[in-house]
């Protein structure tokens, strides 16, 4: 499989989930660069400051300090080009409200249940 995206930003507070997700992405040629941050606040700061320019973002729903949905509210306020950024909500949440909120959010491309799989990645490639 050819590389689908240049830069992938993974936002999740769980070290083990990040480790597993990163390994799956690395093994699939899904993205050339993988940047992992363990808080939505850090991700917002990195995006706002132009330190990270992702093509794709995997975003966890439930995180301390700032949830995935709170991240999206802050993301909406920052002045960066969002047209070419795909955001996938990557969560172990089975809460129907989380799925509904993500399908209603203009920035979320798709809700994906953890763990991320090779097959799911292949389906996300343009």
């Amino acid at each position: 499989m050819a590389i689908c995206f240049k830069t992938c930003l993974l936002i999740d507070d769980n070290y083990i989930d990040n480790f597993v997700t990163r390994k799956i992405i690395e093994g699939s040629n899904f993205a050339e660069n993988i940047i992992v941050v363990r808080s939505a606040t850090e991700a917002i700061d990195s995006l706002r400051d132009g330190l990270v320019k992702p093509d794709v973002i995997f975003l966890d729903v439930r995180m301390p300090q700032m949830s995935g949905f709170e991240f999206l509210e802050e993301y909406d306020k920052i002045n960066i080009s969002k047209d070419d950024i795909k955001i996938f909500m990557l969560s172990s949440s089975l809460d129907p409200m989380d799925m509904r909120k993500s399908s209603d959010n203009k920035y979320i491309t798709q809700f994906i249940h953890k763990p991320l799989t090779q097959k799911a990645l292949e389906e996300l490639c343009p």
Side-chain angles (χ1 to χ4, degrees), residues 29-64:
N29 287 333
F30 181 76
E32 197 174 306
N33 306 305
I34 305 161
I35 298 161
V36 180
V37 294
R38 294 196 48 202
S39 81
T41 312
E42 182 184 345
I44 287 292
D45 291 344
S46 296
L47 289 164
R48 184 184 295 120
D49 297 343
L51 301 173
V52 177
K53 293 181 170 46
D55 308 294
V56 64
I57 297 173
F58 287 107
L59 176 65
D60 189 21
V61 175
R62 296 171 199 256
M63 295 179 282

PDB file of all heavy atoms in Angstrom, residues 29-64:
ATOM      1  N   ASN A  29       1.940   1.815   6.341  1.00  0.00           N
ATOM      2  CA  ASN A  29       2.265   2.902   5.403  1.00  0.00           C
ATOM      3  C   ASN A  29       1.127   3.909   5.280  1.00  0.00           C
ATOM      4  O   ASN A  29       0.956   4.544   4.253  1.00  0.00           O
ATOM      5  CB  ASN A  29       2.612   2.364   4.003  1.00  0.00           C
ATOM      6  CG  ASN A  29       3.956   1.707   3.982  1.00  0.00           C
ATOM      7  OD1 ASN A  29       4.835   2.037   4.771  1.00  0.00           O
ATOM      8  ND2 ASN A  29       4.129   0.762   3.080  1.00  0.00           N
ATOM      9  N   PHE A  30       0.320   4.022   6.321  1.00  0.00           N
ATOM     10  CA  PHE A  30      -0.812   4.949   6.304  1.00  0.00           C
ATOM     11  C   PHE A  30      -0.334   6.399   6.283  1.00  0.00           C
ATOM     12  O   PHE A  30      -0.899   7.235   5.598  1.00  0.00           O
ATOM     13  CB  PHE A  30      -1.699   4.695   7.534  1.00  0.00           C
ATOM     14  CG  PHE A  30      -2.912   5.569   7.622  1.00  0.00           C
ATOM     15  CD1 PHE A  30      -4.010   5.329   6.815  1.00  0.00           C
ATOM     16  CD2 PHE A  30      -2.961   6.617   8.522  1.00  0.00           C
ATOM     17  CE1 PHE A  30      -5.137   6.133   6.893  1.00  0.00           C
ATOM     18  CE2 PHE A  30      -4.081   7.427   8.612  1.00  0.00           C
ATOM     19  CZ  PHE A  30      -5.171   7.180   7.793  1.00  0.00           C
ATOM     20  N   ALA A  31       0.725   6.690   7.060  1.00  0.00           N
ATOM     21  CA  ALA A  31       1.249   8.055   7.141  1.00  0.00           C
ATOM     22  C   ALA A  31       2.765   8.035   7.185  1.00  0.00           C
ATOM     23  O   ALA A  31       3.366   7.149   7.780  1.00  0.00           O
ATOM     24  CB  ALA A  31       0.696   8.756   8.377  1.00  0.00           C
ATOM     25  N   GLU A  32       3.348   9.046   6.560  1.00  0.00           N
ATOM     26  CA  GLU A  32       4.806   9.178   6.538  1.00  0.00           C
ATOM     27  C   GLU A  32       5.330   9.565   7.924  1.00  0.00           C
ATOM     28  O   GLU A  32       6.325   9.042   8.391  1.00  0.00           O
ATOM     29  CB  GLU A  32       5.150  10.261   5.514  1.00  0.00           C
ATOM     30  CG  GLU A  32       6.574  10.280   5.064  1.00  0.00           C
ATOM     31  CD  GLU A  32       6.771  11.297   3.947  1.00  0.00           C
ATOM     32  OE1 GLU A  32       6.039  11.218   2.942  1.00  0.00           O
ATOM     33  OE2 GLU A  32       7.635  12.164   4.113  1.00  0.00           O
ATOM     34  N   ASN A  33       4.649  10.524   8.574  1.00  0.00           N
ATOM     35  CA  ASN A  33       5.035  10.987   9.912  1.00  0.00           C
ATOM     36  C   ASN A  33       3.882  10.743  10.876  1.00  0.00           C
ATOM     37  O   ASN A  33       2.730  11.012  10.537  1.00  0.00           O
ATOM     38  CB  ASN A  33       5.327  12.494   9.911  1.00  0.00           C
ATOM     39  CG  ASN A  33       6.347  12.864   8.870  1.00  0.00           C
ATOM     40  OD1 ASN A  33       7.430  12.323   8.847  1.00  0.00           O
ATOM     41  ND2 ASN A  33       5.981  13.791   7.999  1.00  0.00           N
ATOM     42  N   ILE A  34       4.212  10.281  12.079  1.00  0.00           N
ATOM     43  CA  ILE A  34       3.192  10.072  13.112  1.00  0.00           C
ATOM     44  C   ILE A  34       3.610  10.883  14.331  1.00  0.00           C
ATOM     45  O   ILE A  34       4.697  10.684  14.877  1.00  0.00           O
ATOM     46  CB  ILE A  34       3.067   8.584  13.491  1.00  0.00           C
ATOM     47  CG1 ILE A  34       2.793   7.727  12.248  1.00  0.00           C
ATOM     48  CG2 ILE A  34       1.973   8.389  14.535  1.00  0.00           C
ATOM     49  CD1 ILE A  34       3.092   6.264  12.431  1.00  0.00           C
ATOM     50  N   ILE A  35       2.751  11.808  14.723  1.00  0.00           N
ATOM     51  CA  ILE A  35       3.024  12.639  15.895  1.00  0.00           C
ATOM     52  C   ILE A  35       2.002  12.247  16.959  1.00  0.00           C
ATOM     53  O   ILE A  35       0.798  12.243  16.701  1.00  0.00           O
ATOM     54  CB  ILE A  35       2.903  14.139  15.547  1.00  0.00           C
ATOM     55  CG1 ILE A  35       3.954  14.494  14.490  1.00  0.00           C
ATOM     56  CG2 ILE A  35       3.060  14.995  16.797  1.00  0.00           C
ATOM     57  CD1 ILE A  35       3.675  15.763  13.754  1.00  0.00           C
ATOM     58  N   VAL A  36       2.503  11.907  18.134  1.00  0.00           N
ATOM     59  CA  VAL A  36       1.629  11.471  19.226  1.00  0.00           C
ATOM     60  C   VAL A  36       1.658  12.511  20.340  1.00  0.00           C
ATOM     61  O   VAL A  36       2.730  12.901  20.796  1.00  0.00           O
ATOM     62  CB  VAL A  36       2.083  10.101  19.777  1.00  0.00           C
ATOM     63  CG1 VAL A  36       1.179   9.648  20.914  1.00  0.00           C
ATOM     64  CG2 VAL A  36       2.118   9.054  18.672  1.00  0.00           C
ATOM     65  N   VAL A  37       0.477  12.968  20.749  1.00  0.00           N
ATOM     66  CA  VAL A  37       0.379  13.859  21.908  1.00  0.00           C
ATOM     67  C   VAL A  37      -0.614  13.249  22.883  1.00  0.00           C
ATOM     68  O   VAL A  37      -1.569  12.599  22.485  1.00  0.00           O
ATOM     69  CB  VAL A  37      -0.027  15.309  21.538  1.00  0.00           C
ATOM     70  CG1 VAL A  37       1.059  15.981  20.723  1.00  0.00           C
ATOM     71  CG2 VAL A  37      -1.342  15.356  20.813  1.00  0.00           C
ATOM     72  N   ARG A  38      -0.342  13.464  24.179  1.00  0.00           N
ATOM     73  CA  ARG A  38      -1.166  12.810  25.196  1.00  0.00           C
ATOM     74  C   ARG A  38      -2.204  13.733  25.808  1.00  0.00           C
ATOM     75  O   ARG A  38      -2.854  13.376  26.780  1.00  0.00           O
ATOM     76  CB  ARG A  38      -0.263  12.195  26.261  1.00  0.00           C
ATOM     77  CG  ARG A  38       0.539  11.060  25.618  1.00  0.00           C
ATOM     78  CD  ARG A  38       1.186  10.104  26.533  1.00  0.00           C
ATOM     79  NE  ARG A  38       0.350   9.581  27.583  1.00  0.00           N
ATOM     80  CZ  ARG A  38       0.830   9.078  28.699  1.00  0.00           C
ATOM     81  NH1 ARG A  38       2.124   9.036  28.907  1.00  0.00           N
ATOM     82  NH2 ARG A  38       0.023   8.619  29.620  1.00  0.00           N
ATOM     83  N   SER A  39      -2.375  14.941  25.229  1.00  0.00           N
ATOM     84  CA  SER A  39      -3.460  15.799  25.704  1.00  0.00           C
ATOM     85  C   SER A  39      -3.987  16.646  24.558  1.00  0.00           C
ATOM     86  O   SER A  39      -3.240  17.043  23.662  1.00  0.00           O
ATOM     87  CB  SER A  39      -2.996  16.704  26.847  1.00  0.00           C
ATOM     88  OG  SER A  39      -2.309  17.827  26.351  1.00  0.00           O
ATOM     89  N   ALA A  40      -5.281  16.901  24.604  1.00  0.00           N
ATOM     90  CA  ALA A  40      -5.928  17.732  23.582  1.00  0.00           C
ATOM     91  C   ALA A  40      -5.416  19.162  23.661  1.00  0.00           C
ATOM     92  O   ALA A  40      -5.286  19.842  22.649  1.00  0.00           O
ATOM     93  CB  ALA A  40      -7.438  17.670  23.757  1.00  0.00           C
ATOM     94  N   THR A  41      -5.087  19.616  24.868  1.00  0.00           N
ATOM     95  CA  THR A  41      -4.555  20.969  25.056  1.00  0.00           C
ATOM     96  C   THR A  41      -3.235  21.123  24.313  1.00  0.00           C
ATOM     97  O   THR A  41      -3.019  22.114  23.603  1.00  0.00           O
ATOM     98  CB  THR A  41      -4.334  21.251  26.564  1.00  0.00           C
ATOM     99  OG1 THR A  41      -5.495  20.862  27.280  1.00  0.00           O
ATOM    100  CG2 THR A  41      -4.051  22.708  26.818  1.00  0.00           C
ATOM    101  N   GLU A  42      -2.356  20.147  24.467  1.00  0.00           N
ATOM    102  CA  GLU A  42      -1.066  20.172  23.774  1.00  0.00           C
ATOM    103  C   GLU A  42      -1.275  20.162  22.254  1.00  0.00           C
ATOM    104  O   GLU A  42      -0.584  20.864  21.513  1.00  0.00           O
ATOM    105  CB  GLU A  42      -0.230  18.955  24.195  1.00  0.00           C
ATOM    106  CG  GLU A  42       1.147  18.911  23.571  1.00  0.00           C
ATOM    107  CD  GLU A  42       1.938  17.645  23.926  1.00  0.00           C
ATOM    108  OE1 GLU A  42       1.554  16.929  24.879  1.00  0.00           O
ATOM    109  OE2 GLU A  42       2.930  17.397  23.235  1.00  0.00           O
ATOM    110  N   ALA A  43      -2.244  19.384  21.795  1.00  0.00           N
ATOM    111  CA  ALA A  43      -2.541  19.319  20.356  1.00  0.00           C
ATOM    112  C   ALA A  43      -3.008  20.676  19.834  1.00  0.00           C
ATOM    113  O   ALA A  43      -2.539  21.132  18.789  1.00  0.00           O
ATOM    114  CB  ALA A  43      -3.595  18.250  20.090  1.00  0.00           C
ATOM    115  N   ILE A  44      -3.908  21.328  20.571  1.00  0.00           N
ATOM    116  CA  ILE A  44      -4.405  22.657  20.162  1.00  0.00           C
ATOM    117  C   ILE A  44      -3.248  23.645  20.084  1.00  0.00           C
ATOM    118  O   ILE A  44      -3.117  24.389  19.105  1.00  0.00           O
ATOM    119  CB  ILE A  44      -5.510  23.165  21.131  1.00  0.00           C
ATOM    120  CG1 ILE A  44      -6.811  22.384  20.919  1.00  0.00           C
ATOM    121  CG2 ILE A  44      -5.745  24.662  20.986  1.00  0.00           C
ATOM    122  CD1 ILE A  44      -7.516  22.607  19.592  1.00  0.00           C
ATOM    123  N   ASP A  45      -2.399  23.652  21.108  1.00  0.00           N
ATOM    124  CA  ASP A  45      -1.250  24.565  21.119  1.00  0.00           C
ATOM    125  C   ASP A  45      -0.337  24.300  19.919  1.00  0.00           C
ATOM    126  O   ASP A  45       0.109  25.243  19.257  1.00  0.00           O
ATOM    127  CB  ASP A  45      -0.448  24.431  22.419  1.00  0.00           C
ATOM    128  CG  ASP A  45      -1.219  24.957  23.629  1.00  0.00           C
ATOM    129  OD1 ASP A  45      -2.216  25.695  23.441  1.00  0.00           O
ATOM    130  OD2 ASP A  45      -0.822  24.628  24.765  1.00  0.00           O
ATOM    131  N   SER A  46      -0.070  23.043  19.626  1.00  0.00           N
ATOM    132  CA  SER A  46       0.811  22.683  18.506  1.00  0.00           C
ATOM    133  C   SER A  46       0.213  23.091  17.165  1.00  0.00           C
ATOM    134  O   SER A  46       0.922  23.555  16.272  1.00  0.00           O
ATOM    135  CB  SER A  46       1.084  21.180  18.497  1.00  0.00           C
ATOM    136  OG  SER A  46       1.776  20.812  19.662  1.00  0.00           O
ATOM    137  N   LEU A  47      -1.092  22.920  17.026  1.00  0.00           N
ATOM    138  CA  LEU A  47      -1.766  23.314  15.787  1.00  0.00           C
ATOM    139  C   LEU A  47      -1.780  24.842  15.647  1.00  0.00           C
ATOM    140  O   LEU A  47      -1.469  25.378  14.587  1.00  0.00           O
ATOM    141  CB  LEU A  47      -3.206  22.779  15.767  1.00  0.00           C
ATOM    142  CG  LEU A  47      -3.345  21.268  15.580  1.00  0.00           C
ATOM    143  CD1 LEU A  47      -4.742  20.803  15.969  1.00  0.00           C
ATOM    144  CD2 LEU A  47      -3.033  20.870  14.140  1.00  0.00           C
ATOM    145  N   ARG A  48      -2.117  25.526  16.738  1.00  0.00           N
ATOM    146  CA  ARG A  48      -2.202  26.993  16.732  1.00  0.00           C
ATOM    147  C   ARG A  48      -0.849  27.619  16.409  1.00  0.00           C
ATOM    148  O   ARG A  48      -0.758  28.579  15.646  1.00  0.00           O
ATOM    149  CB  ARG A  48      -2.708  27.495  18.080  1.00  0.00           C
ATOM    150  CG  ARG A  48      -2.926  29.012  18.113  1.00  0.00           C
ATOM    151  CD  ARG A  48      -3.335  29.533  19.478  1.00  0.00           C
ATOM    152  NE  ARG A  48      -4.636  29.033  19.877  1.00  0.00           N
ATOM    153  CZ  ARG A  48      -4.856  28.285  20.978  1.00  0.00           C
ATOM    154  NH1 ARG A  48      -3.871  27.968  21.790  1.00  0.00           N
ATOM    155  NH2 ARG A  48      -6.070  27.902  21.277  1.00  0.00           N
ATOM    156  N   ASP A  49       0.212  27.040  16.981  1.00  0.00           N
ATOM    157  CA  ASP A  49       1.562  27.579  16.784  1.00  0.00           C
ATOM    158  C   ASP A  49       2.201  27.129  15.467  1.00  0.00           C
ATOM    159  O   ASP A  49       3.321  27.537  15.164  1.00  0.00           O
ATOM    160  CB  ASP A  49       2.472  27.169  17.951  1.00  0.00           C
ATOM    161  CG  ASP A  49       1.998  27.735  19.282  1.00  0.00           C
ATOM    162  OD1 ASP A  49       1.189  28.676  19.277  1.00  0.00           O
ATOM    163  OD2 ASP A  49       2.433  27.225  20.325  1.00  0.00           O
ATOM    164  N   GLY A  50       1.511  26.279  14.716  1.00  0.00           N
ATOM    165  CA  GLY A  50       2.033  25.811  13.440  1.00  0.00           C
ATOM    166  C   GLY A  50       3.139  24.778  13.576  1.00  0.00           C
ATOM    167  O   GLY A  50       3.849  24.483  12.614  1.00  0.00           O
ATOM    168  N   LEU A  51       3.287  24.195  14.767  1.00  0.00           N
ATOM    169  CA  LEU A  51       4.325  23.182  14.997  1.00  0.00           C
ATOM    170  C   LEU A  51       3.948  21.853  14.345  1.00  0.00           C
ATOM    171  O   LEU A  51       4.808  21.046  14.022  1.00  0.00           O
ATOM    172  CB  LEU A  51       4.547  22.969  16.500  1.00  0.00           C
ATOM    173  CG  LEU A  51       4.966  24.207  17.302  1.00  0.00           C
ATOM    174  CD1 LEU A  51       4.993  23.906  18.786  1.00  0.00           C
ATOM    175  CD2 LEU A  51       6.328  24.700  16.825  1.00  0.00           C
ATOM    176  N   VAL A  52       2.644  21.631  14.185  1.00  0.00           N
ATOM    177  CA  VAL A  52       2.137  20.400  13.591  1.00  0.00           C
ATOM    178  C   VAL A  52       1.176  20.787  12.474  1.00  0.00           C
ATOM    179  O   VAL A  52       0.288  21.619  12.678  1.00  0.00           O
ATOM    180  CB  VAL A  52       1.389  19.550  14.649  1.00  0.00           C
ATOM    181  CG1 VAL A  52       0.799  18.307  14.028  1.00  0.00           C
ATOM    182  CG2 VAL A  52       2.290  19.180  15.802  1.00  0.00           C
ATOM    183  N   LYS A  53       1.362  20.187  11.298  1.00  0.00           N
ATOM    184  CA  LYS A  53       0.466  20.422  10.166  1.00  0.00           C
ATOM    185  C   LYS A  53      -0.017  19.058   9.654  1.00  0.00           C
ATOM    186  O   LYS A  53       0.497  18.552   8.655  1.00  0.00           O
ATOM    187  CB  LYS A  53       1.187  21.191   9.062  1.00  0.00           C
ATOM    188  CG  LYS A  53       1.560  22.604   9.450  1.00  0.00           C
ATOM    189  CD  LYS A  53       2.251  23.310   8.294  1.00  0.00           C
ATOM    190  CE  LYS A  53       2.451  24.769   8.463  1.00  0.00           C
ATOM    191  NZ  LYS A  53       2.951  25.305   9.653  1.00  0.00           N
ATOM    192  N   PRO A  54      -0.991  18.479  10.353  1.00  0.00           N
ATOM    193  CA  PRO A  54      -1.428  17.126   9.988  1.00  0.00           C
ATOM    194  C   PRO A  54      -2.384  17.111   8.795  1.00  0.00           C
ATOM    195  O   PRO A  54      -3.074  18.089   8.525  1.00  0.00           O
ATOM    196  CB  PRO A  54      -2.156  16.657  11.252  1.00  0.00           C
ATOM    197  CG  PRO A  54      -2.717  17.910  11.832  1.00  0.00           C
ATOM    198  CD  PRO A  54      -1.718  18.998  11.508  1.00  0.00           C
ATOM    199  N   ASP A  55      -2.398  15.983   8.109  1.00  0.00           N
ATOM    200  CA  ASP A  55      -3.397  15.730   7.063  1.00  0.00           C
ATOM    201  C   ASP A  55      -4.555  14.954   7.683  1.00  0.00           C
ATOM    202  O   ASP A  55      -5.669  14.987   7.203  1.00  0.00           O
ATOM    203  CB  ASP A  55      -2.813  14.860   5.944  1.00  0.00           C
ATOM    204  CG  ASP A  55      -1.520  15.411   5.401  1.00  0.00           C
ATOM    205  OD1 ASP A  55      -1.564  16.488   4.811  1.00  0.00           O
ATOM    206  OD2 ASP A  55      -0.475  14.775   5.606  1.00  0.00           O
ATOM    207  N   VAL A  56      -4.222  14.206   8.735  1.00  0.00           N
ATOM    208  CA  VAL A  56      -5.214  13.365   9.395  1.00  0.00           C
ATOM    209  C   VAL A  56      -4.965  13.389  10.906  1.00  0.00           C
ATOM    210  O   VAL A  56      -3.827  13.438  11.355  1.00  0.00           O
ATOM    211  CB  VAL A  56      -5.182  11.918   8.815  1.00  0.00           C
ATOM    212  CG1 VAL A  56      -3.870  11.246   9.081  1.00  0.00           C
ATOM    213  CG2 VAL A  56      -6.313  11.071   9.339  1.00  0.00           C
ATOM    214  N   ILE A  57      -6.074  13.403  11.648  1.00  0.00           N
ATOM    215  CA  ILE A  57      -6.010  13.399  13.116  1.00  0.00           C
ATOM    216  C   ILE A  57      -6.872  12.247  13.627  1.00  0.00           C
ATOM    217  O   ILE A  57      -8.017  12.079  13.198  1.00  0.00           O
ATOM    218  CB  ILE A  57      -6.545  14.726  13.712  1.00  0.00           C
ATOM    219  CG1 ILE A  57      -5.674  15.911  13.280  1.00  0.00           C
ATOM    220  CG2 ILE A  57      -6.629  14.646  15.243  1.00  0.00           C
ATOM    221  CD1 ILE A  57      -6.228  17.285  13.679  1.00  0.00           C
ATOM    222  N   PHE A  58      -6.297  11.456  14.532  1.00  0.00           N
ATOM    223  CA  PHE A  58      -7.079  10.469  15.278  1.00  0.00           C
ATOM    224  C   PHE A  58      -7.272  11.058  16.660  1.00  0.00           C
ATOM    225  O   PHE A  58      -6.298  11.380  17.350  1.00  0.00           O
ATOM    226  CB  PHE A  58      -6.363   9.117  15.368  1.00  0.00           C
ATOM    227  CG  PHE A  58      -6.373   8.364  14.076  1.00  0.00           C
ATOM    228  CD1 PHE A  58      -5.229   8.244  13.307  1.00  0.00           C
ATOM    229  CD2 PHE A  58      -7.541   7.767  13.614  1.00  0.00           C
ATOM    230  CE1 PHE A  58      -5.235   7.551  12.109  1.00  0.00           C
ATOM    231  CE2 PHE A  58      -7.560   7.073  12.416  1.00  0.00           C
ATOM    232  CZ  PHE A  58      -6.408   6.963  11.654  1.00  0.00           C
ATOM    233  N   LEU A  59      -8.516  11.217  17.068  1.00  0.00           N
ATOM    234  CA  LEU A  59      -8.861  11.927  18.294  1.00  0.00           C
ATOM    235  C   LEU A  59      -9.658  11.039  19.233  1.00  0.00           C
ATOM    236  O   LEU A  59     -10.701  10.501  18.855  1.00  0.00           O
ATOM    237  CB  LEU A  59      -9.691  13.171  17.911  1.00  0.00           C
ATOM    238  CG  LEU A  59     -10.261  14.039  19.008  1.00  0.00           C
ATOM    239  CD1 LEU A  59      -9.153  14.702  19.821  1.00  0.00           C
ATOM    240  CD2 LEU A  59     -11.179  15.099  18.407  1.00  0.00           C
ATOM    241  N   ASP A  60      -9.167  10.897  20.466  1.00  0.00           N
ATOM    242  CA  ASP A  60      -9.898  10.144  21.483  1.00  0.00           C
ATOM    243  C   ASP A  60     -11.042  11.013  22.016  1.00  0.00           C
ATOM    244  O   ASP A  60     -10.963  12.240  21.969  1.00  0.00           O
ATOM    245  CB  ASP A  60      -8.937   9.770  22.623  1.00  0.00           C
ATOM    246  CG  ASP A  60      -9.554   8.806  23.619  1.00  0.00           C
ATOM    247  OD1 ASP A  60     -10.532   8.113  23.277  1.00  0.00           O
ATOM    248  OD2 ASP A  60      -9.052   8.733  24.755  1.00  0.00           O
ATOM    249  N   VAL A  61     -12.100  10.386  22.518  1.00  0.00           N
ATOM    250  CA  VAL A  61     -13.238  11.139  23.066  1.00  0.00           C
ATOM    251  C   VAL A  61     -12.979  11.527  24.515  1.00  0.00           C
ATOM    252  O   VAL A  61     -13.052  12.693  24.877  1.00  0.00           O
ATOM    253  CB  VAL A  61     -14.550  10.313  22.995  1.00  0.00           C
ATOM    254  CG1 VAL A  61     -15.687  11.048  23.679  1.00  0.00           C
ATOM    255  CG2 VAL A  61     -14.913  10.007  21.559  1.00  0.00           C
ATOM    256  N   ARG A  62     -12.677  10.542  25.329  1.00  0.00           N
ATOM    257  CA  ARG A  62     -12.582  10.768  26.778  1.00  0.00           C
ATOM    258  C   ARG A  62     -11.143  10.932  27.230  1.00  0.00           C
ATOM    259  O   ARG A  62     -10.387   9.969  27.235  1.00  0.00           O
ATOM    260  CB  ARG A  62     -13.251   9.615  27.514  1.00  0.00           C
ATOM    261  CG  ARG A  62     -14.738   9.570  27.189  1.00  0.00           C
ATOM    262  CD  ARG A  62     -15.415   8.343  27.715  1.00  0.00           C
ATOM    263  NE  ARG A  62     -16.662   8.153  27.021  1.00  0.00           N
ATOM    264  CZ  ARG A  62     -17.844   8.433  27.534  1.00  0.00           C
ATOM    265  NH1 ARG A  62     -17.929   8.908  28.730  1.00  0.00           N
ATOM    266  NH2 ARG A  62     -18.939   8.231  26.831  1.00  0.00           N
ATOM    267  N   MET A  63     -10.821  12.175  27.579  1.00  0.00           N
ATOM    268  CA  MET A  63      -9.484  12.499  28.083  1.00  0.00           C
ATOM    269  C   MET A  63      -9.640  13.489  29.230  1.00  0.00           C
ATOM    270  O   MET A  63     -10.585  14.274  29.236  1.00  0.00           O
ATOM    271  CB  MET A  63      -8.629  13.136  26.972  1.00  0.00           C
ATOM    272  CG  MET A  63      -8.324  12.214  25.816  1.00  0.00           C
ATOM    273  SD  MET A  63      -7.354  13.024  24.524  1.00  0.00           S
ATOM    274  CE  MET A  63      -8.605  13.984  23.682  1.00  0.00           C
ATOM    275  N   PRO A  64      -8.705  13.455  30.188  1.00  0.00           N
ATOM    276  CA  PRO A  64      -8.780  14.435  31.284  1.00  0.00           C
ATOM    277  C   PRO A  64      -8.455  15.837  30.763  1.00  0.00           C
ATOM    278  O   PRO A  64      -7.886  15.973  29.687  1.00  0.00           O
ATOM    279  CB  PRO A  64      -7.704  13.955  32.263  1.00  0.00           C
ATOM    280  CG  PRO A  64      -6.784  13.107  31.461  1.00  0.00           C
ATOM    281  CD  PRO A  64      -7.580  12.551  30.323  1.00  0.00           C
TER     282      PRO A  64
END
